[in-house]
Amino acid sequence: MILEDFLRTDAEKYSSKVAAICGEQAMTYEELYNAVLQRSRDFSHKKGKAVIFPTTQSIDFLITYFAIHLAGAVAVPLEQQIPEERKLDILSIAEKDELPEGAADILFTTGTTGKSKGVIISHSTIIAEAENLSLAQGFDKDTVFIICGPLNHIGCLSKVFPIIMQGGTLLILEGMKDLNAFFNALEYPSDKLATFLVPANIRILCTLGAKRLKEYSHKLDFIETGAAPMMHADMLKICELLPTTRMYNTYASTETGIIATFNYNVEGKKRCMEGCLGKAMKNSHFEITPKGTIACKGKTLMMGYAGDKELSRQVLHDNTVYTSDMGRIDEDGMIHMLGREDDVINTGGLKVAPTEVESIALELPEIEDCICIAATHPIMGVVPKLLIVQKADCLLDKKKIANHLASKLERYKVPFYYEVTDKIARTYNGKINRKFYR
């Protein structure tokens, strides 16, 4: 089966039920499936070929996406504001080689850790991810999922899969720049609301909308986060605001698919383990390689990189995707993320995970945002450096920051330099853009 088979079943079983809402527009499952059927005729000549189309936060995006699949073509959703030169480059990549049988999507990564790559996703991967999320996070026909991020990336696109599999409802927003729009979405008449938020957006909600967010605690069934490390202080704060809401920290990537998830809001503070991403889901498996990186197996893996067979062979072989994520598995079989191999700072032969330094620094109320990077010292060589965004009306005491870090970290992990900056470079979906600082 492909996802569109479930969409057809939904149209028969829940014909008058609302499938998707965006602004003033709403579509029932019957209306959505009929629109998909009609548009699929536009792509009948593209069977087995890539179809590039712009990503919009709209029901029309869903129609086009499903229609391409139904026509037997491969969906290649692109950023809304993509430069024409980049678009032509992607077109040449997507059409360079004959696409493998069973391919559903080519999703282009953000490129924050290297050159942007076209990841080929199969129809069977989509179904496996839908099953993983449905079973592990409790998606069902009553779930109303609020889409806050771009639909051409796995974080939000993957939530479309279990909603369609289960016959739930999608509520699509333009993003998280308008907090009022997000809170208006929480007014939807349902007590099984759910959403995916990157950690930066959770911090914004806890800082600027804490009081309002707390009012919706009884309506928010669960919140998933991913794409970047969740800081311990933010975990504690969101659990305090939403004590009955399930909070999932998930391990996933475009290449590996949705692998593991962990609800850290069950036993209060004891469950708020920074970097813990839980046990492997039904269709997935993970292990740690001899060099300490995470390797993933199972039904959710990519098929390879479009137009780059050599890179595909390097990353995907023996039915395993070898990531650059450093990790460990605890005695309960849960995976813990320790940072990316490329991000680790090697100082005097000792390794510093920048996320650990950043998390402890963010415990201080004066710090709005920060990043730990590698810097050069004339005698000591490479040392950690902390770039800091201070909160408005706060006086920053660098000695206080250093003492706070020294009280919780080994000496070699404490930054040697401290510098105030206006902002930390991030991607459009909230990840720290570490590549920018290399």
Side-chain angles (χ1 to χ4, degrees), residues 167-202:
T169 299
L170 292 165
L171 206 166
I172 304 169
L173 303 181
E174 281 290 338
M176 282 293 290
K177 291 183 178 179
D178 185 354
L179 287 185
N180 285 326
F182 177 75
F183 285 116
N184 288 341
L186 297 183
E187 292 288 342
Y188 190 81
S190 169
D191 59 0
K192 293 204 72 173
L193 296 172
T195 192
F196 172 88
L197 297 171
V198 295
N201 286 338
I202 289 179

Side-chain angles (χ1 to χ4, degrees), residues 178-187 205-220 241-242:
D178 185 354
L179 287 185
N180 285 326
F182 177 75
F183 285 116
N184 288 341
L186 297 183
E187 292 288 342
L205 281 172
C206 289
T207 304
L208 302 179
K211 186 176 180 180
R212 290 183 70 183
L213 185 63
K214 194 171 185 177
E215 294 173 1
Y216 296 98
S217 178
H218 64 290
K219 299 187 68 176
L220 275 162
L241 293 173
L242 304 172

Side-chain angles (χ1 to χ4, degrees), residues 50-265:
V51 178
I52 291 178
F53 66 107
T55 298
T56 56
Q57 298 299 108
S58 66
I59 295 176
D60 193 70
F61 171 88
L62 297 178
I63 295 170
T64 301
Y65 178 73
F66 296 140
I68 291 169
H69 288 171
L70 204 60
V74 178
V76 189
L78 301 185
E79 312 288 352
Q80 282 182 306
Q81 305 293 327
I82 189 167
E84 187 63 26
E85 185 178 343
R86 178 61 180 144
K87 182 178 177 180
L88 293 173
D89 183 40
I90 287 175
L91 182 62
S92 67
I93 292 172
E95 296 182 342
K96 189 173 184 179
D97 293 328
E98 185 176 342
L99 294 169
E101 185 177 351
D105 301 341
I106 303 177
L107 303 179
F108 279 83
T109 61
T110 56
T112 57
T113 56
K115 184 180 178 181
S116 181
K117 302 174 286 289
V119 181
I120 306 173
I121 304 297
S122 70
H123 285 289
S124 61
T125 284
I126 288 174
I127 298 302
E129 291 184 339
E131 288 180 346
N132 273 1
L133 287 165
S134 294
L135 292 171
Q137 296 182 350
F139 281 78
D140 62 28
K141 64 180 178 60
D142 297 317
T143 302
V144 177
F145 202 91
I146 302 170
I147 298 287
C148 300
L151 279 164
N152 60 311
H153 286 284
I154 199 69
C156 285
L157 181 61
S158 64
K159 306 313 173 293
V160 173
F161 308 158
I163 285 293
I164 297 301
M165 175 175 277
Q166 300 298 330
T169 299
L170 292 165
L171 206 166
I172 304 169
L173 303 181
E174 281 290 338
M176 282 293 290
K177 291 183 178 179
D178 185 354
L179 287 185
N180 285 326
F182 177 75
F183 285 116
N184 288 341
L186 297 183
E187 292 288 342
Y188 190 81
S190 169
D191 59 0
K192 293 204 72 173
L193 296 172
T195 192
F196 172 88
L197 297 171
V198 295
N201 286 338
I202 289 179
R203 188 177 304 126
I204 289 170
L205 281 172
C206 289
T207 304
L208 302 179
K211 186 176 180 180
R212 290 183 70 183
L213 185 63
K214 194 171 185 177
E215 294 173 1
Y216 296 98
S217 178
H218 64 290
K219 299 187 68 176
L220 275 162
D221 185 28
F222 68 89
I223 296 176
E224 184 195 41
T225 192
M230 181 75 173
M231 301 303 178
H232 188 251
D234 294 337
M235 296 171 83
L236 294 175
K237 183 62 176 178
I238 195 73
C239 288
E240 177 187 338
L241 293 173
L242 304 172
T244 61
T245 301
R246 289 176 286 133
M247 296 290 176
Y248 289 104
N249 207 357
T250 296
Y251 182 66
S253 71
T254 317
E255 287 90 342
T256 64
I258 315 299
I259 298 294
T261 196
F262 176 65
N263 178 11
Y264 59 86
N265 195 20

